[in-house]
Amino acid sequence: MGERRGLVFVISGPSGCGKTTLGERILSGDRDLVRSVSVTTRPARKGEREGREYFFVSKEKFASLREGNKFLEWAEIFGYFYGTPRDFVFEKINQGKDVVLIIDVQGARQVRKIFPQAVFIFLRPPSLKVLSERLKKRKLDAGREIEKRLRQAEREMRYEREYDYIVVNEDLDRATELLKAIISLERIKQK
Ligand code: 5GP
């Protein structure tokens, strides 16, 4: 029997639907699961650290990485660029680790072309009203930014049918449990 190649899990969902928190929850205590840290041109928010949430780079640096084919996928979102480092993902799956990519719907489509066997999970809030309340409570973005994110959420939610699983984040514990169940089942699934 050959070495097991790692799985790729793609998690998408509107900004403010709990992707970061849920990501942390599924990663903690699972040594075979790693998260890919993306590269972005967005400035760091308060509390974000280089190499932990993102690798923060200039537009010029991003363009040179993109031209050097260093990204598995990339997208422009809210005027900033975001990309998944290609080498990291291949290195981990070749080591037999499962990799989680927390990326937007445009990026997910690109990953599907490279890894059709990847597992696509869409995370959504119970409603746009709940999402709006969460974004306001988070206070990370200005009012205009929140409006932009809500419109974007509406657009993104139209793509949920392209995903293998839709997880509604109404209750954090329940959503965590569902994500962990998906990961466990995919690990024992015979393709
Ligand atoms: P934020 O700026 O709120 O951290 O992220 C904005 C959006 O960019 C989120 O939907 C997030 O999932 C997405 N995103 C983060 N990193 C990447 C990436 O490497 N590629 C793509 N396509 N989307 C990303």
Side-chain angles (χ1 to χ4, degrees), residues 6-186:
L7 303 171
V8 175
F9 292 96
V10 175
I11 303 181
S12 303
S15 176
C17 73
K19 280 179 303 203
T20 313
T21 312
L22 282 162
E24 279 164 13
R25 282 182 163 218
I26 57 170
L27 285 153
S28 76
D30 189 336
R31 291 175 53 206
D32 294 319
L33 195 64
V34 289
R35 182 174 71 93
S36 158
V37 176
S38 296
V39 176
T40 185
T41 60
R42 165 169 82 59
R45 291 188 188 123
K46 219 174 139 218
E48 285 183 337
R49 239 192 286 145
E50 169 72 12
R52 189 178 64 186
E53 282 78 13
Y54 288 104
F55 294 107
F56 299 96
V57 300
S58 65
K59 270 189 179 164
E60 293 71 27
K61 175 76 182 168
F62 192 96
S64 93
L65 290 169
R66 192 177 58 202
E67 276 143 38
N69 197 26
K70 298 292 183 202
F71 295 129
L72 186 71
E73 61 73 36
W74 65 273
E76 186 180 354
I77 307 155
F78 308 126
Y80 297 114
F81 292 99
Y82 296 80
T84 300
R86 176 190 297 277
D87 291 350
F88 177 85
V89 176
F90 279 102
E91 188 188 303
K92 292 297 170 190
I93 60 173
N94 288 335
Q95 287 168 3
K97 298 270 185 204
D98 300 328
V99 181
V100 182
L101 309 180
I102 305 182
I103 61 177
D104 85 320
V105 293
Q106 310 169 65
R109 282 191 158 175
Q110 295 171 55
V111 174
R112 190 174 287 112
K113 289 190 191 139
I114 304 163
F115 298 114
Q117 73 283 19
V119 182
F120 294 87
I121 306 167
F122 194 90
L123 202 59
R124 57 168 296 176
S127 67
L128 285 170
K129 190 164 171 280
V130 172
L131 183 67
S132 161
E133 281 156 16
R134 282 187 196 163
L135 284 172
K136 283 176 193 153
K137 220 161 77 192
R138 193 163 79 161
K139 290 204 180 82
L140 288 174
D141 305 295
R144 212 152 23 95
E145 281 296 310
I146 292 177
E147 277 308 311
K148 232 165 61 178
R149 278 162 198 270
L150 279 174
R151 280 200 302 275
Q152 175 73 4
E154 248 178 300
R155 279 195 295 272
E156 285 205 322
M157 276 154 68
R158 292 190 204 129
Y159 292 90
E160 67 183 23
R161 298 205 176 279
E162 293 181 7
Y163 286 71
D164 299 311
Y165 298 95
I166 299 175
V167 173
V168 179
N169 183 15
E170 180 140 36
D171 173 80
L172 208 51
D173 287 336
R174 176 75 184 135
T176 308
E177 203 179 287
L178 286 172
L179 285 175
K180 285 187 173 171
I182 293 167
I183 294 166
S184 300
L185 287 176
E186 289 290 338

